[in-house]
Each structure stands twice: as structure tokens, then as C-alpha cells.
mmCIF file of all heavy atoms in Angstrom:
data_model
loop_
_atom_site.group_PDB
_atom_site.id
_atom_site.type_symbol
_atom_site.label_atom_id
_atom_site.label_comp_id
_atom_site.label_asym_id
_atom_site.label_seq_id
_atom_site.Cartn_x
_atom_site.Cartn_y
_atom_site.Cartn_z
ATOM 1 N N MET A 2 81.793 77.709 90.447
ATOM 2 C CA MET A 2 81.380 77.710 91.841
ATOM 3 C C MET A 2 82.550 78.092 92.751
ATOM 4 O O MET A 2 82.391 78.808 93.708
ATOM 5 C CB MET A 2 80.835 76.300 92.161
ATOM 6 C CG MET A 2 80.288 76.187 93.601
ATOM 7 S SD MET A 2 78.800 77.159 93.686
ATOM 8 C CE MET A 2 78.311 76.789 95.346
ATOM 9 N N GLY A 3 83.734 77.568 92.406
ATOM 10 C CA GLY A 3 84.928 77.859 93.218
ATOM 11 C C GLY A 3 85.285 79.323 93.217
ATOM 12 O O GLY A 3 85.664 79.920 94.201
ATOM 13 N N MET A 4 85.025 79.971 92.049
ATOM 14 C CA MET A 4 85.342 81.402 91.896
ATOM 15 C C MET A 4 84.407 82.242 92.801
ATOM 16 O O MET A 4 84.858 83.190 93.420
ATOM 17 C CB MET A 4 85.290 81.854 90.485
ATOM 18 C CG MET A 4 85.787 83.209 90.226
ATOM 19 S SD MET A 4 87.543 83.247 90.576
ATOM 20 C CE MET A 4 88.071 84.427 89.379
ATOM 21 N N VAL A 5 83.160 81.864 92.840
ATOM 22 C CA VAL A 5 82.163 82.593 93.668
ATOM 23 C C VAL A 5 82.520 82.451 95.123
ATOM 24 O O VAL A 5 82.466 83.441 95.844
ATOM 25 C CB VAL A 5 80.757 82.025 93.392
ATOM 26 C CG1 VAL A 5 79.753 82.615 94.369
ATOM 27 C CG2 VAL A 5 80.340 82.303 91.960
ATOM 28 N N LEU A 6 82.911 81.245 95.562
ATOM 29 C CA LEU A 6 83.319 81.045 96.953
ATOM 30 C C LEU A 6 84.559 81.858 97.290
ATOM 31 O O LEU A 6 84.745 82.428 98.376
ATOM 32 C CB LEU A 6 83.538 79.589 97.217
ATOM 33 C CG LEU A 6 82.305 78.729 97.302
ATOM 34 C CD1 LEU A 6 82.629 77.260 97.498
ATOM 35 C CD2 LEU A 6 81.365 79.163 98.437
ATOM 36 N N LEU A 7 85.536 81.942 96.335
ATOM 37 C CA LEU A 7 86.734 82.691 96.554
ATOM 38 C C LEU A 7 86.413 84.167 96.706
ATOM 39 O O LEU A 7 86.944 84.875 97.578
ATOM 40 C CB LEU A 7 87.713 82.474 95.375
ATOM 41 C CG LEU A 7 89.062 83.153 95.514
ATOM 42 C CD1 LEU A 7 89.823 82.542 96.719
ATOM 43 C CD2 LEU A 7 89.890 82.937 94.250
ATOM 44 N N ILE A 8 85.510 84.703 95.884
ATOM 45 C CA ILE A 8 85.156 86.114 95.958
ATOM 46 C C ILE A 8 84.386 86.382 97.277
ATOM 47 O O ILE A 8 84.621 87.378 97.920
ATOM 48 C CB ILE A 8 84.323 86.518 94.756
ATOM 49 C CG1 ILE A 8 85.191 86.472 93.495
ATOM 50 C CG2 ILE A 8 83.658 87.864 94.937
ATOM 51 C CD1 ILE A 8 84.458 86.725 92.178
ATOM 52 N N LEU A 9 83.523 85.469 97.660
ATOM 53 C CA LEU A 9 82.827 85.618 98.934
ATOM 54 C C LEU A 9 83.781 85.577 100.093
ATOM 55 O O LEU A 9 83.666 86.404 101.020
ATOM 56 C CB LEU A 9 81.760 84.535 99.114
ATOM 57 C CG LEU A 9 80.922 84.502 100.333
ATOM 58 C CD1 LEU A 9 80.102 85.816 100.393
ATOM 59 C CD2 LEU A 9 80.023 83.324 100.374
ATOM 60 N N LEU A 10 84.759 84.684 100.088
ATOM 61 C CA LEU A 10 85.750 84.638 101.120
ATOM 62 C C LEU A 10 86.602 85.929 101.185
ATOM 63 O O LEU A 10 86.870 86.439 102.271
ATOM 64 C CB LEU A 10 86.639 83.385 100.928
ATOM 65 C CG LEU A 10 87.701 83.169 101.969
ATOM 66 C CD1 LEU A 10 87.058 82.886 103.285
ATOM 67 C CD2 LEU A 10 88.599 82.020 101.577
ATOM 68 N N LEU A 11 86.939 86.445 100.032
ATOM 69 C CA LEU A 11 87.681 87.678 99.970
ATOM 70 C C LEU A 11 86.847 88.825 100.526
ATOM 71 O O LEU A 11 87.418 89.702 101.272
ATOM 72 C CB LEU A 11 88.127 87.958 98.542
ATOM 73 C CG LEU A 11 89.003 89.171 98.331
ATOM 74 C CD1 LEU A 11 90.334 89.034 99.087
ATOM 75 C CD2 LEU A 11 89.234 89.394 96.855
ATOM 76 N N ALA A 12 85.590 88.915 100.197
ATOM 77 C CA ALA A 12 84.707 89.962 100.689
ATOM 78 C C ALA A 12 84.578 89.869 102.212
ATOM 79 O O ALA A 12 84.622 90.896 102.887
ATOM 80 C CB ALA A 12 83.353 89.860 100.042
ATOM 81 N N LEU A 13 84.378 88.675 102.736
ATOM 82 C CA LEU A 13 84.340 88.510 104.191
ATOM 83 C C LEU A 13 85.625 88.891 104.870
ATOM 84 O O LEU A 13 85.633 89.528 105.929
ATOM 85 C CB LEU A 13 83.958 87.084 104.548
ATOM 86 C CG LEU A 13 82.490 86.690 104.252
ATOM 87 C CD1 LEU A 13 82.323 85.163 104.481
ATOM 88 C CD2 LEU A 13 81.547 87.449 105.105
ATOM 89 N N LEU A 14 86.752 88.540 104.322
ATOM 90 C CA LEU A 14 88.045 88.877 104.848
ATOM 91 C C LEU A 14 88.256 90.414 104.898
ATOM 92 O O LEU A 14 88.698 90.975 105.874
ATOM 93 C CB LEU A 14 89.145 88.227 104.048
ATOM 94 C CG LEU A 14 90.587 88.469 104.488
ATOM 95 C CD1 LEU A 14 90.809 87.726 105.813
ATOM 96 C CD2 LEU A 14 91.550 87.970 103.467
ATOM 97 N N LEU A 15 87.906 91.092 103.787
ATOM 98 C CA LEU A 15 88.061 92.516 103.747
ATOM 99 C C LEU A 15 87.113 93.236 104.687
ATOM 100 O O LEU A 15 87.460 94.201 105.315
ATOM 101 C CB LEU A 15 87.878 93.057 102.308
ATOM 102 C CG LEU A 15 88.976 92.639 101.343
ATOM 103 C CD1 LEU A 15 88.601 93.116 99.931
ATOM 104 C CD2 LEU A 15 90.317 93.214 101.782
ATOM 105 N N PHE A 16 85.905 92.716 104.813
ATOM 106 C CA PHE A 16 84.936 93.261 105.745
ATOM 107 C C PHE A 16 85.485 93.130 107.194
ATOM 108 O O PHE A 16 85.446 94.113 107.999
ATOM 109 C CB PHE A 16 83.578 92.600 105.651
ATOM 110 C CG PHE A 16 82.610 93.040 106.685
ATOM 111 C CD1 PHE A 16 81.980 94.276 106.619
ATOM 112 C CD2 PHE A 16 82.285 92.209 107.764
ATOM 113 C CE1 PHE A 16 81.081 94.718 107.576
ATOM 114 C CE2 PHE A 16 81.397 92.645 108.760
ATOM 115 C CZ PHE A 16 80.795 93.861 108.629
ATOM 116 N N GLY A 17 85.979 91.949 107.552
ATOM 117 C CA GLY A 17 86.502 91.743 108.874
ATOM 118 C C GLY A 17 87.740 92.597 109.142
ATOM 119 O O GLY A 17 87.911 93.184 110.221
ATOM 120 N N LEU A 18 88.609 92.729 108.124
ATOM 121 C CA LEU A 18 89.787 93.629 108.271
ATOM 122 C C LEU A 18 89.392 95.070 108.453
ATOM 123 O O LEU A 18 89.988 95.749 109.282
ATOM 124 C CB LEU A 18 90.662 93.454 107.028
ATOM 125 C CG LEU A 18 92.057 93.959 107.092
ATOM 126 C CD1 LEU A 18 92.819 93.232 108.204
ATOM 127 C CD2 LEU A 18 92.768 93.835 105.772
ATOM 128 N N GLY A 19 88.377 95.532 107.746
ATOM 129 C CA GLY A 19 87.910 96.882 107.935
ATOM 130 C C GLY A 19 87.375 97.116 109.303
ATOM 131 O O GLY A 19 87.591 98.131 109.955
ATOM 132 N N PHE A 20 86.649 96.159 109.830
ATOM 133 C CA PHE A 20 86.096 96.283 111.210
ATOM 134 C C PHE A 20 87.230 96.353 112.233
ATOM 135 O O PHE A 20 87.198 97.145 113.164
ATOM 136 C CB PHE A 20 85.155 95.116 111.525
ATOM 137 C CG PHE A 20 84.659 95.103 112.917
ATOM 138 C CD1 PHE A 20 83.646 96.009 113.254
ATOM 139 C CD2 PHE A 20 85.139 94.288 113.888
ATOM 140 C CE1 PHE A 20 83.148 96.082 114.570
ATOM 141 C CE2 PHE A 20 84.682 94.330 115.156
ATOM 142 C CZ PHE A 20 83.646 95.215 115.491
ATOM 143 N N VAL A 21 88.245 95.519 112.079
ATOM 144 C CA VAL A 21 89.381 95.457 113.014
ATOM 145 C C VAL A 21 90.142 96.792 112.987
ATOM 146 O O VAL A 21 90.502 97.353 113.963
ATOM 147 C CB VAL A 21 90.327 94.271 112.687
ATOM 148 C CG1 VAL A 21 91.634 94.433 113.431
ATOM 149 C CG2 VAL A 21 89.647 92.954 113.080
ATOM 150 N N VAL A 22 90.324 97.310 111.754
ATOM 151 C CA VAL A 22 91.105 98.596 111.627
ATOM 152 C C VAL A 22 90.305 99.702 112.291
ATOM 153 O O VAL A 22 90.867 100.572 112.938
ATOM 154 C CB VAL A 22 91.409 98.876 110.123
ATOM 155 C CG1 VAL A 22 91.890 100.308 109.955
ATOM 156 C CG2 VAL A 22 92.413 97.889 109.611
ATOM 157 N N LYS A 23 89.003 99.750 112.099
ATOM 158 C CA LYS A 23 88.186 100.783 112.704
ATOM 159 C C LYS A 23 88.193 100.666 114.222
ATOM 160 O O LYS A 23 88.310 101.630 114.914
ATOM 161 C CB LYS A 23 86.706 100.694 112.194
ATOM 162 C CG LYS A 23 85.868 101.838 112.707
ATOM 163 C CD LYS A 23 84.571 101.897 111.995
ATOM 164 C CE LYS A 23 83.769 103.106 112.437
ATOM 165 N NZ LYS A 23 82.669 103.369 111.635
ATOM 166 N N ALA A 24 88.148 99.451 114.740
ATOM 167 C CA ALA A 24 88.270 99.228 116.181
ATOM 168 C C ALA A 24 89.588 99.666 116.716
ATOM 169 O O ALA A 24 89.704 100.296 117.790
ATOM 170 C CB ALA A 24 88.001 97.744 116.549
ATOM 171 N N LEU A 25 90.670 99.399 115.988
ATOM 172 C CA LEU A 25 91.982 99.824 116.415
ATOM 173 C C LEU A 25 92.107 101.383 116.436
ATOM 174 O O LEU A 25 92.796 101.911 117.264
ATOM 175 C CB LEU A 25 93.091 99.231 115.536
ATOM 176 C CG LEU A 25 93.315 97.731 115.750
ATOM 177 C CD1 LEU A 25 94.324 97.225 114.747
ATOM 178 C CD2 LEU A 25 93.786 97.469 117.149
ATOM 179 N N TRP A 26 91.457 102.027 115.471
ATOM 180 C CA TRP A 26 91.463 103.501 115.510
ATOM 181 C C TRP A 26 90.828 104.046 116.752
ATOM 182 O O TRP A 26 91.314 104.959 117.378
ATOM 183 C CB TRP A 26 90.742 104.086 114.256
ATOM 184 C CG TRP A 26 91.643 104.273 113.148
ATOM 185 C CD1 TRP A 26 91.698 103.498 111.972
ATOM 186 C CD2 TRP A 26 92.692 105.228 112.969
ATOM 187 N NE1 TRP A 26 92.674 103.941 111.141
ATOM 188 C CE2 TRP A 26 93.300 105.030 111.729
ATOM 189 C CE3 TRP A 26 93.168 106.242 113.783
ATOM 190 C CZ2 TRP A 26 94.392 105.796 111.285
ATOM 191 C CZ3 TRP A 26 94.203 107.025 113.360
ATOM 192 C CH2 TRP A 26 94.791 106.824 112.113
ATOM 193 N N TRP A 27 89.690 103.454 117.118
ATOM 194 C CA TRP A 27 88.991 103.912 118.398
ATOM 195 C C TRP A 27 89.853 103.627 119.642
ATOM 196 O O TRP A 27 89.879 104.466 120.536
ATOM 197 C CB TRP A 27 87.630 103.230 118.525
ATOM 198 C CG TRP A 27 86.577 103.872 117.682
ATOM 199 C CD1 TRP A 27 86.023 103.318 116.536
ATOM 200 C CD2 TRP A 27 86.054 105.183 117.804
ATOM 201 N NE1 TRP A 27 85.137 104.237 116.007
ATOM 202 C CE2 TRP A 27 85.159 105.388 116.740
ATOM 203 C CE3 TRP A 27 86.267 106.224 118.699
ATOM 204 C CZ2 TRP A 27 84.422 106.586 116.593
ATOM 205 C CZ3 TRP A 27 85.549 107.423 118.540
ATOM 206 C CH2 TRP A 27 84.660 107.591 117.502
ATOM 207 N N ILE A 28 90.533 102.487 119.657
ATOM 208 C CA ILE A 28 91.405 102.194 120.780
ATOM 209 C C ILE A 28 92.553 103.180 120.839
ATOM 210 O O ILE A 28 92.925 103.699 121.887
ATOM 211 C CB ILE A 28 91.939 100.743 120.703
ATOM 212 C CG1 ILE A 28 90.740 99.782 120.900
ATOM 213 C CG2 ILE A 28 93.070 100.497 121.685
ATOM 214 C CD1 ILE A 28 91.114 98.323 120.631
ATOM 215 N N ALA A 29 93.106 103.545 119.678
ATOM 216 C CA ALA A 29 94.192 104.535 119.615
ATOM 217 C C ALA A 29 93.730 105.914 120.088
ATOM 218 O O ALA A 29 94.469 106.625 120.825
ATOM 219 C CB ALA A 29 94.729 104.641 118.223
ATOM 220 N N VAL A 30 92.489 106.301 119.727
ATOM 221 C CA VAL A 30 91.967 107.571 120.216
ATOM 222 C C VAL A 30 91.811 107.599 121.758
ATOM 223 O O VAL A 30 92.193 108.550 122.404
ATOM 224 C CB VAL A 30 90.628 107.884 119.540
ATOM 225 C CG1 VAL A 30 89.913 109.035 120.171
ATOM 226 C CG2 VAL A 30 90.854 108.165 118.074
ATOM 227 N N VAL A 31 91.306 106.534 122.306
ATOM 228 C CA VAL A 31 91.148 106.386 123.755
ATOM 229 C C VAL A 31 92.475 106.481 124.443
ATOM 230 O O VAL A 31 92.663 107.195 125.442
ATOM 231 C CB VAL A 31 90.392 105.094 124.125
ATOM 232 C CG1 VAL A 31 90.413 104.854 125.628
ATOM 233 C CG2 VAL A 31 88.942 105.200 123.662
ATOM 234 N N VAL A 32 93.484 105.739 123.923
ATOM 235 C CA VAL A 32 94.826 105.819 124.525
ATOM 236 C C VAL A 32 95.432 107.184 124.441
ATOM 237 O O VAL A 32 96.062 107.640 125.413
ATOM 238 C CB VAL A 32 95.736 104.737 123.884
ATOM 239 C CG1 VAL A 32 97.181 104.912 124.280
ATOM 240 C CG2 VAL A 32 95.294 103.327 124.230
ATOM 241 N N LEU A 33 95.205 107.873 123.310
ATOM 242 C CA LEU A 33 95.737 109.230 123.162
ATOM 243 C C LEU A 33 95.128 110.187 124.203
ATOM 244 O O LEU A 33 95.776 110.998 124.832
ATOM 245 C CB LEU A 33 95.465 109.704 121.738
ATOM 246 C CG LEU A 33 95.942 111.141 121.443
ATOM 247 C CD1 LEU A 33 97.453 111.250 121.512
ATOM 248 C CD2 LEU A 33 95.405 111.592 120.129
ATOM 249 N N VAL A 34 93.776 110.078 124.438
ATOM 250 C CA VAL A 34 93.069 110.939 125.388
ATOM 251 C C VAL A 34 93.643 110.645 126.794
ATOM 252 O O VAL A 34 93.932 111.613 127.556
ATOM 253 C CB VAL A 34 91.624 110.703 125.346
ATOM 254 C CG1 VAL A 34 90.886 111.311 126.529
ATOM 255 C CG2 VAL A 34 91.029 111.294 124.036
ATOM 256 N N ILE A 35 93.845 109.393 127.181
ATOM 257 C CA ILE A 35 94.393 109.100 128.464
ATOM 258 C C ILE A 35 95.830 109.574 128.612
ATOM 259 O O ILE A 35 96.210 110.101 129.669
ATOM 260 C CB ILE A 35 94.356 107.531 128.715
ATOM 261 C CG1 ILE A 35 92.913 107.077 128.854
ATOM 262 C CG2 ILE A 35 95.117 107.128 129.955
ATOM 263 C CD1 ILE A 35 92.750 105.627 128.852
ATOM 264 N N TRP A 36 96.602 109.537 127.555
ATOM 265 C CA TRP A 36 97.982 110.010 127.555
ATOM 266 C C TRP A 36 98.027 111.524 127.792
ATOM 267 O O TRP A 36 98.797 112.039 128.567
ATOM 268 C CB TRP A 36 98.645 109.628 126.263
ATOM 269 C CG TRP A 36 100.116 109.986 126.161
ATOM 270 C CD1 TRP A 36 101.070 109.470 126.926
ATOM 271 C CD2 TRP A 36 100.672 110.858 125.217
ATOM 272 N NE1 TRP A 36 102.316 110.057 126.515
ATOM 273 C CE2 TRP A 36 102.009 110.873 125.491
ATOM 274 C CE3 TRP A 36 100.186 111.631 124.189
ATOM 275 C CZ2 TRP A 36 102.949 111.651 124.718
ATOM 276 C CZ3 TRP A 36 101.003 112.393 123.443
ATOM 277 C CH2 TRP A 36 102.404 112.383 123.717
ATOM 278 N N VAL A 37 97.150 112.248 127.072
ATOM 279 C CA VAL A 37 97.108 113.695 127.250
ATOM 280 C C VAL A 37 96.631 114.070 128.617
ATOM 281 O O VAL A 37 97.115 114.996 129.244
ATOM 282 C CB VAL A 37 96.216 114.342 126.102
ATOM 283 C CG1 VAL A 37 95.896 115.771 126.377
ATOM 284 C CG2 VAL A 37 96.878 114.178 124.787
ATOM 285 N N LEU A 38 95.614 113.366 129.138
ATOM 286 C CA LEU A 38 95.130 113.628 130.498
ATOM 287 C C LEU A 38 96.270 113.368 131.558
ATOM 288 O O LEU A 38 96.292 114.000 132.559
ATOM 289 C CB LEU A 38 93.897 112.795 130.828
ATOM 290 C CG LEU A 38 92.617 113.246 130.125
ATOM 291 C CD1 LEU A 38 91.486 112.305 130.473
ATOM 292 C CD2 LEU A 38 92.230 114.622 130.626
ATOM 293 N N GLY A 39 97.109 112.397 131.271
ATOM 294 C CA GLY A 39 98.226 112.149 132.155
ATOM 295 C C GLY A 39 99.188 113.330 132.248
ATOM 296 O O GLY A 39 99.796 113.578 133.285
ATOM 297 N N PHE A 40 99.307 114.062 131.177
ATOM 298 C CA PHE A 40 100.125 115.285 131.223
ATOM 299 C C PHE A 40 99.425 116.396 131.974
ATOM 300 O O PHE A 40 100.078 117.177 132.703
ATOM 301 C CB PHE A 40 100.434 115.786 129.826
ATOM 302 C CG PHE A 40 101.613 115.117 129.188
ATOM 303 C CD1 PHE A 40 101.470 114.299 128.119
ATOM 304 C CD2 PHE A 40 102.908 115.319 129.690
ATOM 305 C CE1 PHE A 40 102.569 113.669 127.530
ATOM 306 C CE2 PHE A 40 104.030 114.714 129.144
ATOM 307 C CZ PHE A 40 103.832 113.853 128.058
ATOM 308 N N LEU A 41 98.121 116.549 131.852
ATOM 309 C CA LEU A 41 97.397 117.654 132.460
ATOM 310 C C LEU A 41 97.092 117.413 133.924
ATOM 311 O O LEU A 41 97.112 118.367 134.694
ATOM 312 C CB LEU A 41 96.073 117.847 131.714
ATOM 313 C CG LEU A 41 96.186 118.210 130.225
ATOM 314 C CD1 LEU A 41 94.809 118.294 129.588
ATOM 315 C CD2 LEU A 41 96.939 119.537 130.083
ATOM 316 N N ILE A 42 96.879 116.205 134.324
ATOM 317 C CA ILE A 42 96.511 115.860 135.713
ATOM 318 C C ILE A 42 97.695 115.101 136.329
ATOM 319 O O ILE A 42 97.757 113.875 136.220
ATOM 320 C CB ILE A 42 95.249 115.016 135.770
ATOM 321 C CG1 ILE A 42 94.112 115.721 135.018
ATOM 322 C CG2 ILE A 42 94.859 114.731 137.233
ATOM 323 C CD1 ILE A 42 92.896 114.862 134.851
ATOM 324 N N ARG A 43 98.583 115.851 136.941
ATOM 325 C CA ARG A 43 99.703 115.211 137.586
ATOM 326 C C ARG A 43 99.727 115.581 139.058
ATOM 327 O O ARG A 43 99.468 116.744 139.386
ATOM 328 C CB ARG A 43 101.024 115.685 136.963
ATOM 329 C CG ARG A 43 101.225 115.168 135.558
ATOM 330 C CD ARG A 43 102.544 115.587 135.022
ATOM 331 N NE ARG A 43 102.521 117.048 134.826
ATOM 332 C CZ ARG A 43 103.559 117.762 134.323
ATOM 333 N NH1 ARG A 43 104.661 117.147 134.066
ATOM 334 N NH2 ARG A 43 103.447 119.037 134.107
ATOM 335 N N PRO A 44 100.036 114.655 139.945
ATOM 336 C CA PRO A 44 100.025 114.991 141.375
ATOM 337 C C PRO A 44 101.269 115.816 141.685
ATOM 338 O O PRO A 44 102.331 115.760 141.092
ATOM 339 C CB PRO A 44 100.093 113.635 142.068
ATOM 340 C CG PRO A 44 100.713 112.731 141.046
ATOM 341 C CD PRO A 44 100.263 113.236 139.749
ATOM 342 N N ALA A 45 101.111 116.742 142.723
ATOM 343 C CA ALA A 45 102.291 117.537 143.163
ATOM 344 C C ALA A 45 103.157 116.742 144.122
ATOM 345 O O ALA A 45 102.636 115.890 144.877
ATOM 346 C CB ALA A 45 101.787 118.758 143.857
ATOM 347 N N THR A 46 104.451 116.963 144.082
ATOM 348 C CA THR A 46 105.346 116.280 144.943
ATOM 349 C C THR A 46 105.427 117.056 146.288
ATOM 350 O O THR A 46 104.809 118.098 146.475
ATOM 351 C CB THR A 46 106.728 116.150 144.333
ATOM 352 O OG1 THR A 46 107.213 117.489 144.051
ATOM 353 C CG2 THR A 46 106.723 115.377 143.038
ATOM 354 N N ALA A 47 106.262 116.588 147.206
ATOM 355 C CA ALA A 47 106.381 117.194 148.526
ATOM 356 C C ALA A 47 106.894 118.676 148.414
ATOM 357 O O ALA A 47 106.603 119.525 149.177
ATOM 358 C CB ALA A 47 107.256 116.380 149.389
ATOM 359 N N GLY A 48 107.727 118.911 147.398
ATOM 360 C CA GLY A 48 108.332 120.254 147.249
ATOM 361 C C GLY A 48 107.376 121.215 146.548
ATOM 362 O O GLY A 48 107.722 122.372 146.271
ATOM 363 N N GLY A 49 106.203 120.808 146.174
ATOM 364 C CA GLY A 49 105.246 121.648 145.487
ATOM 365 C C GLY A 49 105.356 121.603 143.965
ATOM 366 O O GLY A 49 104.532 122.205 143.300
ATOM 367 N N ARG A 50 106.344 120.938 143.480
ATOM 368 C CA ARG A 50 106.494 120.855 142.004
ATOM 369 C C ARG A 50 105.609 119.730 141.443
ATOM 370 O O ARG A 50 105.195 118.870 142.218
ATOM 371 C CB ARG A 50 107.968 120.531 141.634
ATOM 372 C CG ARG A 50 108.894 121.749 141.909
ATOM 373 C CD ARG A 50 110.284 121.372 141.504
ATOM 374 N NE ARG A 50 110.288 120.772 140.136
ATOM 375 C CZ ARG A 50 111.307 120.086 139.647
ATOM 376 N NH1 ARG A 50 112.395 119.926 140.337
ATOM 377 N NH2 ARG A 50 111.201 119.594 138.422
ATOM 378 N N ARG A 51 105.324 119.794 140.201
ATOM 379 C CA ARG A 51 104.567 118.757 139.524
ATOM 380 C C ARG A 51 105.416 117.516 139.396
ATOM 381 O O ARG A 51 106.552 117.540 139.038
ATOM 382 C CB ARG A 51 104.149 119.183 138.145
ATOM 383 C CG ARG A 51 103.134 120.269 138.108
ATOM 384 C CD ARG A 51 101.763 119.624 138.144
ATOM 385 N NE ARG A 51 100.799 120.609 137.634
ATOM 386 C CZ ARG A 51 99.535 120.330 137.508
ATOM 387 N NH1 ARG A 51 99.136 119.094 137.782
ATOM 388 N NH2 ARG A 51 98.712 121.195 137.098
ATOM 389 N N GLY A 52 104.815 116.412 139.798
ATOM 390 C CA GLY A 52 105.509 115.101 139.699
ATOM 391 C C GLY A 52 105.484 114.528 138.262
ATOM 392 O O GLY A 52 104.739 115.041 137.421
ATOM 393 N N ARG A 53 106.243 113.508 138.089
ATOM 394 C CA ARG A 53 106.200 112.793 136.772
ATOM 395 C C ARG A 53 105.057 111.838 136.797
ATOM 396 O O ARG A 53 104.777 111.179 137.799
ATOM 397 C CB ARG A 53 107.499 112.086 136.546
ATOM 398 C CG ARG A 53 108.698 112.981 136.383
ATOM 399 C CD ARG A 53 109.921 112.211 136.072
ATOM 400 N NE ARG A 53 110.046 111.095 136.990
ATOM 401 C CZ ARG A 53 111.209 110.483 137.219
ATOM 402 N NH1 ARG A 53 112.261 110.873 136.616
ATOM 403 N NH2 ARG A 53 111.256 109.487 138.052
ATOM 404 N N TRP A 54 104.363 111.667 135.676
ATOM 405 C CA TRP A 54 103.254 110.710 135.595
ATOM 406 C C TRP A 54 103.707 109.361 135.131
ATOM 407 O O TRP A 54 102.962 108.422 135.129
ATOM 408 C CB TRP A 54 102.130 111.284 134.698
ATOM 409 C CG TRP A 54 102.542 111.424 133.295
ATOM 410 C CD1 TRP A 54 103.160 112.523 132.714
ATOM 411 C CD2 TRP A 54 102.450 110.478 132.198
ATOM 412 N NE1 TRP A 54 103.442 112.251 131.406
ATOM 413 C CE2 TRP A 54 102.986 111.053 131.071
ATOM 414 C CE3 TRP A 54 101.915 109.176 132.138
ATOM 415 C CZ2 TRP A 54 103.018 110.387 129.875
ATOM 416 C CZ3 TRP A 54 101.989 108.527 130.965
ATOM 417 C CH2 TRP A 54 102.512 109.137 129.822
ATOM 418 N N TYR A 55 104.974 109.260 134.765
ATOM 419 C CA TYR A 55 105.496 107.971 134.342
ATOM 420 C C TYR A 55 106.503 107.472 135.357
ATOM 421 O O TYR A 55 106.965 108.239 136.169
ATOM 422 C CB TYR A 55 106.155 108.053 132.954
ATOM 423 C CG TYR A 55 107.168 109.184 132.855
ATOM 424 C CD1 TYR A 55 108.476 108.971 133.173
ATOM 425 C CD2 TYR A 55 106.792 110.459 132.433
ATOM 426 C CE1 TYR A 55 109.413 109.975 133.073
ATOM 427 C CE2 TYR A 55 107.731 111.458 132.363
ATOM 428 C CZ TYR A 55 109.053 111.223 132.669
ATOM 429 O OH TYR A 55 109.976 112.198 132.607
ATOM 430 N N ARG A 56 106.863 106.204 135.340
ATOM 431 C CA ARG A 56 107.664 105.613 136.367
ATOM 432 C C ARG A 56 109.188 105.687 136.105
ATOM 433 O O ARG A 56 109.985 105.639 137.016
ATOM 434 C CB ARG A 56 107.270 104.183 136.593
ATOM 435 C CG ARG A 56 105.924 104.037 137.219
ATOM 436 C CD ARG A 56 105.707 102.623 137.617
ATOM 437 N NE ARG A 56 104.433 102.487 138.348
ATOM 438 C CZ ARG A 56 104.386 102.582 139.675
ATOM 439 N NH1 ARG A 56 105.426 102.652 140.379
ATOM 440 N NH2 ARG A 56 103.185 102.453 140.262
ATOM 441 N N TRP A 57 109.595 105.734 134.902
ATOM 442 C CA TRP A 57 111.019 105.673 134.647
ATOM 443 C C TRP A 57 111.685 106.961 134.704
ATOM 444 O O TRP A 57 111.177 108.049 134.742
ATOM 445 C CB TRP A 57 111.347 104.965 133.323
ATOM 446 C CG TRP A 57 110.767 105.705 132.109
ATOM 447 C CD1 TRP A 57 111.308 106.712 131.422
ATOM 448 C CD2 TRP A 57 109.492 105.479 131.512
ATOM 449 N NE1 TRP A 57 110.551 107.115 130.431
ATOM 450 C CE2 TRP A 57 109.406 106.383 130.463
ATOM 451 C CE3 TRP A 57 108.455 104.615 131.753
ATOM 452 C CZ2 TRP A 57 108.267 106.440 129.637
ATOM 453 C CZ3 TRP A 57 107.365 104.681 130.962
ATOM 454 C CH2 TRP A 57 107.248 105.566 129.927
#
């Protein structure tokens, strides 16, 4: 009985880990798209040049 519970616990742990990894991949894709859009859509400065999209 203990072995069955251990296998069930391991299966649930791996299923949860797989879900978290897949969610993290989607978050990484969204952040990458926002980062690329930050390069493409930059406001112009007073001199007409493209400004920096980051603060530092």
C-alpha cells in the first residue's frame, strides 16, 4: 500500500511540475514579445532621434 501511495505521489508531483514548466514557457514567450516590441516601438526624443526604451 505504501508503494502505491509513493507512486501516486510521484505521478502527481511530476504532473504538477510539468504544468508549472509549461506555464513558465508561456510567460517567457510573452516577456520576449514585449521585449521585442520595446525595441520596435520607441518614442522619439526632442532631437528627432530614437530614445532609449530602458532607464539605465
